[in-house]
Amino acid sequence: MGTLNSFMGQFGGAPDSELVPASTPNVLGAFMDQFSTLTEESYWFYGHTVELRFNVADHKYYRVEELGNLVEVKGVTTALKNIDKSNALVPWAAKKCAEKILRTIPLSTEMNEFKELMLAPITLTDFTRLVMEAKNAHKEILVEAGDIGHLAHKCLEDSIQHAIDHTGGIVHELRNLPEDEKAISAAKAGFVWMQAHNVRWIKTEQKIYSKEHNYAGTMDGKALVDSCNDPACCSEQFKDSLSIIDWKSSNALHVEYIFQVAGAYCHAEVEEFGEDIQNCFILRLGKNEEEAGKFEPWRVPAKDFPEAFQGFLTCLELGRLLGSTKDRISTQKKGVRDIKKQQKALKKEADKVAAKLLRVEEKAKVKLERMAEKERIKTDAKAAREAAKQAPVVLVVEALPAPSFLEETPVERKPFVVPEE
């Protein structure tokens, strides 16, 4: 009810409590709460002076301006997608496709003379279907890896939040362990790293926003960290190092992770709070049998932050340039389509007018031909009359046959000529 009353109260009038009776079922309010909860989250920055809305469904950030206008804010991970990974991903995807074909192609129970397995008979249709299904093998793996990473992240987040609330930020045990074995292995790898570095958490799953550069994102956490005794992990000693930490469940660490964590996240935190962040840790959590409980760390010290941030800004600017160029080309294409549409309409109208003129011309031509024919007939008739008047009239009278009693006497018959006047 509060949601509906507060919404309506913005337009003035009675106090919130008088707008809708308490006994009235809050159908509209429940409807609004449902969608605000499921699809949109609100976050405040810079002393509660800047509000961001995060659309969960679209995974997009928006800054709330005056009068409630929303301005899209570029996401950190979205900006980093401009880095081309095809050199590594394309061969990997091809490999996974080939592996699935080899796993799923039917085999015969018979062997050849060299004791090698033979392929079972298969139609071209079935083989084509098998290949087309194998084509998406890499997508299936990515979905599975994403699910594992999500489950491991959620376990670590719950454990860290519990530690912040109850044990001074120190995680003594993992909470809400997932059922998936790979996700458990990844979460345990994170726990091993925490114990080895005496991690005391300050924040977890924290939204960040840079007012200066207008980007937003979510960092996995911020904590005080001590160096461990393994030189392969910590090449120098430090204690109580204020650090930003980011978990990765990928099969490898990539350079753009440094731009993301030591560049974007670190700069936004320093920009808003002015803190002295000394290290950033990017931790790849092992999730298969060989790496169970192990982690691969990347530590980025403060001296490398400027370069990391410059790398991120380059990606951010490239994304904006690509976006503006695509918009311009899209507008240009739309303009061309509109012009072609207009040209087509004009041509259609011109063809219509030309066809109408042709019909009028043909009709006029037929009319003229008819008139000319009438004139010719009249002229011919007049000429015939004139000619008839000028020619002599000759009457031919044929005599009747003579009676039988006169047949003995032949009579000479001559034409009767009418004398001219």
Side-chain angles (χ1 to χ4, degrees):
M1 185 61 63
T3 302
L4 179 59
N5 282 339
S6 298
F7 173 77
M8 296 177 66
Q10 297 178 23
F11 299 94
D16 288 354
S17 59
E18 298 178 8
L19 290 172
V20 180
S23 59
T24 302
N26 189 14
V27 178
L28 178 58
F31 176 81
M32 294 169 62
D33 288 340
Q34 175 187 5
F35 278 85
S36 62
T37 301
L38 293 179
T39 63
E40 195 174 86
E41 299 171 350
S42 181
Y43 299 92
W44 290 90
F45 301 88
Y46 294 91
H48 215 74
T49 60
V50 177
E51 181 186 6
L52 291 192
R53 300 276 177 83
F54 178 62
N55 188 303
V56 179
D58 296 336
H59 202 81
K60 289 184 178 180
Y61 296 90
Y62 299 90
R63 186 178 66 252
V64 182
E65 298 287 289
E66 294 181 3
L67 302 178
N69 295 327
L70 299 180
V71 177
E72 185 173 352
V73 175
K74 184 65 70 176
V76 172
T77 54
T78 301
L80 293 170
K81 287 180 180 178
N82 295 314
I83 296 178
D84 183 17
K85 305 181 185 67
S86 60
N87 287 338
L89 292 180
V90 171
W92 173 78
K95 177 183 176 182
K96 294 305 174 184
C97 176
E99 289 176 350
K100 185 166 183 178
I101 291 175
L102 294 175
R103 283 197 314 270
T104 56
I105 195 167
L107 299 176
S108 173
T109 56
E110 300 179 359
M111 294 188 179
N112 63 11
E113 56 183 331
F114 302 106
K115 302 298 182 181
E116 296 174 328
L117 284 173
M118 302 289 292
L119 295 179
I122 183 172
T123 65
L124 178 59
T125 301
D126 289 339
F127 182 72
T128 302
R129 184 181 301 110
L130 184 148
V131 172
M132 296 306 292
E133 291 176 353
K135 186 181 68 171
N136 294 320
H138 67 289
K139 295 181 181 179
E140 297 169 1
I141 294 171
L142 290 175
V143 170
E144 180 186 3
D147 293 339
I148 293 170
H150 175 74
L151 292 172
H153 271 72
K154 188 67 173 65
C155 175
L156 291 170
E157 179 189 351
D158 292 346
S159 303
I160 293 169
Q161 189 60 58
H162 182 270
I164 293 174
D165 296 338
H166 299 94
T167 59
I170 300 174
V171 177
H172 294 294
E173 63 178 352
L174 292 176
R175 304 180 65 83
N176 302 329
L177 280 171
E179 295 181 0
D180 185 90
E181 291 298 327
K182 291 183 178 180
I184 292 175
S185 295
K188 286 183 176 179
F191 182 60
V192 169
W193 180 82
M194 291 185 232
Q195 289 184 313
H197 293 80
N198 187 30
V199 179
R200 289 137 289 160
W201 293 95
I202 301 170
K203 293 178 179 179
T204 183
E205 283 297 305
Q206 183 70 33
K207 296 293 181 186
I208 60 93
Y209 172 64
S210 169
K211 185 161 54 174
E212 179 182 2
H213 298 282
N214 195 38
Y215 67 81
T218 307
M219 69 177 185
D220 288 339
K222 182 165 65 175
L224 295 174
V225 180
D226 296 344
S227 60
C228 68
N229 297 322
D230 183 3
C233 178
C234 297
S235 57
E236 58 186 23
Q237 297 298 303
F238 50 85
K239 187 174 179 59
D240 299 332
S241 168
L242 184 62
S243 307
I244 291 176
I245 297 98
D246 200 76
W247 311 112
K248 300 297 181 186
S249 57
S250 55
N251 291 326
L253 293 176
H254 303 284
V255 172
E256 59 266 25
Y257 295 161
I258 295 176
F259 295 170
Q260 174 188 0
V261 182
Y265 294 167
C266 182
H267 179 86
E269 281 290 288
V270 173
E271 179 186 316
E272 182 173 3
F273 301 107
E275 295 176 320
D276 182 20
I277 297 175
Q278 299 161 6
N279 284 293
C280 288
F281 291 91
I282 304 164
L283 303 164
R284 188 178 72 83
L285 308 176
K287 57 181 182 292
N288 53 37
E289 294 180 0
E290 295 79 13
E291 296 182 321
K294 298 180 181 179
F295 58 87
E296 180 184 356
W298 270 3
R299 182 179 72 88
V300 185
K303 65 181 181 63
D304 295 334
F305 291 173
E307 184 180 61
F309 185 58
Q310 188 58 49
F312 170 73
L313 285 183
T314 301
C315 293
L316 186 65
E317 182 61 21
L318 177 60
R320 287 171 176 162
L321 289 174
L322 287 172
S324 62
T325 301
K326 287 178 181 178
D327 290 343
R328 186 175 68 255
I329 294 299
S330 177
T331 302
Q332 181 177 326
K333 286 182 177 179
K334 184 179 182 300
V336 171
R337 287 195 300 270
D338 291 343
I339 290 173
K340 288 184 176 180
K341 187 176 180 181
Q342 292 174 3
Q343 289 175 338
K344 186 176 180 180
L346 290 173
K347 185 178 182 303
K348 184 177 180 181
E349 187 64 26
D351 291 344
K352 186 177 178 181
V353 172
K356 185 177 180 180
L357 291 174
L358 182 61
R359 289 194 299 271
V360 171
E361 182 180 346
E362 290 176 348
K363 188 175 180 181
K365 182 179 179 181
V366 170
K367 187 176 180 180
L368 288 173
E369 289 176 349
R370 287 177 179 174
M371 291 177 62
E373 181 66 13
K374 286 181 179 180
E375 288 297 324
R376 184 187 67 76
I377 292 172
K378 283 178 66 177
T379 302
D380 290 349
K382 184 177 180 180
R385 287 195 299 272
E386 292 295 331
K389 289 179 180 180
Q390 298 297 328
V393 178
V394 178
L395 295 177
V396 179
V397 178
E398 184 177 357
L400 295 173
S404 58
F405 60 87
L406 295 178
E407 286 182 356
E408 291 81 3
T409 306
V411 179
E412 183 180 2
R413 296 180 178 86
K414 295 182 180 181
F416 176 76
V417 178
V418 178
E420 293 182 0
E421 294 180 2

